[in-house]
Amino acid sequence: MIDTHCHVDLFPDPVGVARLLEREVEACVAVTMLPSHFEMAQRHLTAFRRTTPALGLHPLRSREGHREIQRFKNLARSAEFIGEIGIDGSPQGRPTLEAQKDNFAEVVASIQRGAFVTVHSRGAWRETLEGLKVARVGPVCFHYFIGGAEAAKTVLADGHYLSINHRMVASESRHRAMVAALPRDRVLPETDGPFLGAAPIRQLESVYRFLGQAWNLDSLETRELIRQNFARCRTTNTTLPSQST
Ligand SMILES: [Zn+2]
């Protein structure tokens, strides 16, 4: 199984979680909130092959993030995994929306070709999509996307992917129908741990089970399809000078 969005560094025992993931998953994208956290995660995760730190600048940490923009740009030159970055337009993020957009425009422009990128777009999927379009960066993965079926279509039309967690496919969730109807070649699993729970393996299993049923595939086929999606979800466009007009 693959976890495309997990805050390993926010668990009470990050190294213990990394050890568990090393045994149980194929790959885990260990997202971070700030470049300084990414550097710390790199030091702690060097021994782990399956859990890879991702370079982040979280929209709800925009003030600190702004001070670390240059650090982000330097680290982005060699970072294969980017996240969590994005824009938050929820009541929590609205007061800093303009600062977030500025940060996002700067960090997105520094992403290299071939990177896996997981983005936050709560209450601001249009702004996030627009920011990517302006910088010509894609495809990326929109994490925990709950903007609705129509919005999902718009995001998918730009070539992007969506990552799905166990809460979105829980029996009482109103997002189940949207998830089940997504094109199977654009879906990735995530736990968003520890925010949505502290049992990453069980959380992933329930996402894989739901997707397998929705797609009418057995567990081996489901895993293979997800593996292919993950391998393909890499930025092909970037703001290379040759592309700018
Ligand atoms: Zn997150």
Side-chain angles (χ1 to χ4, degrees), residues 5 7 31 58 84 143 192 195:
H5 191 112
H7 296 264
V31 294
H58 197 281
E84 180 166 0
H143 120 85
D192 204 15
F195 294 114

Side-chain angles (χ1 to χ4, degrees), residues 3 28 44 49 96 107 125 135:
D3 185 351
C28 171
H44 288 287
R49 285 186 313 120
T96 57
V107 300
W125 66 266

